[in-house]
Amino acid sequence: QVQLVESGGGLVQAGDSLRLSCAASGRTFSYYAMGWFRQPPGKEREFVAAISRGGDNTAYANSVKGRFTISRDNAKNTVYLTMNSLKPEDTAVYYCAASNTIWVPSRISEYDYWGQGTQITVSS
């Protein structure tokens, strides 16, 4: 089992920056690729970003490419999502997830463990 706890959400204005953290406990963190997903109000959960076990490969949704950066610190069992130039359409509940794979997964079905989510609201 892997337990994931997100933090860092809140209410911000358009153009602001924010960093989310996801702390993992349980099994060895470095065994897992990590991802961030989000669920906007009234919509389905969608992929945001993912990072490989060692942190050398990343993937991003087109909607966040160039604005968001995913990173991880395996010594701290934590994955981060740094978000710049936030837009109102980034408003969503953000979830981190762990996948026992060697690649960089982008589909919900590829992830084994999920956090409870943290709300981000971007006002215009």
Side-chain angles (χ1 to χ4, degrees), residues 65-81:
K65 200 171 294 184
R67 299 189 297 124
F68 290 11
T69 302
I70 188 170
S71 59
R72 66 189 296 161
D73 186 338
N74 284 349
K76 295 183 177 180
N77 292 351
T78 302
V79 61
Y80 305 97
L81 185 68

Side-chain angles (χ1 to χ4, degrees), residues 46-74:
E46 62 185 22
F47 171 73
V48 174
I51 189 166
S52 60
R53 291 174 170 178
D56 51 341
N57 289 299
T58 58
Y60 296 93
N62 287 335
S63 58
V64 306
K65 200 171 294 184
R67 299 189 297 124
F68 290 11
T69 302
I70 188 170
S71 59
R72 66 189 296 161
D73 186 338
N74 284 349

Side-chain angles (χ1 to χ4, degrees), residues 4 7 19-20 25 28 55 71 85 88 94 98 115:
L4 302 172
S7 61
R19 188 178 81 161
L20 300 181
S25 61
T28 305
S71 59
S85 303
Y94 283 71

Side-chain angles (χ1 to χ4, degrees), residues 33-116:
M34 298 297 296
W36 286 97
F37 289 76
R38 67 186 182 186
Q39 187 162 13
K43 297 184 179 181
E44 295 185 349
R45 195 171 299 190
E46 62 185 22
F47 171 73
V48 174
I51 189 166
S52 60
R53 291 174 170 178
D56 51 341
N57 289 299
T58 58
Y60 296 93
N62 287 335
S63 58
V64 306
K65 200 171 294 184
R67 299 189 297 124
F68 290 11
T69 302
I70 188 170
S71 59
R72 66 189 296 161
D73 186 338
N74 284 349
K76 295 183 177 180
N77 292 351
T78 302
V79 61
Y80 305 97
L81 185 68
T82 303
M83 303 175 290
N84 297 320
S85 303
L86 282 162
K87 305 176 181 179
E89 51 263 44
D90 294 318
T91 294
V93 177
Y94 283 71
Y95 299 89
C96 74
S99 175
N100 189 7
T101 59
I102 61 172
W103 57 87
V104 186
S106 61
R107 293 180 293 185
I108 291 173
S109 61
E110 296 177 292
Y111 285 83
D112 306 294
Y113 302 100
W114 293 83
Q116 291 300 307

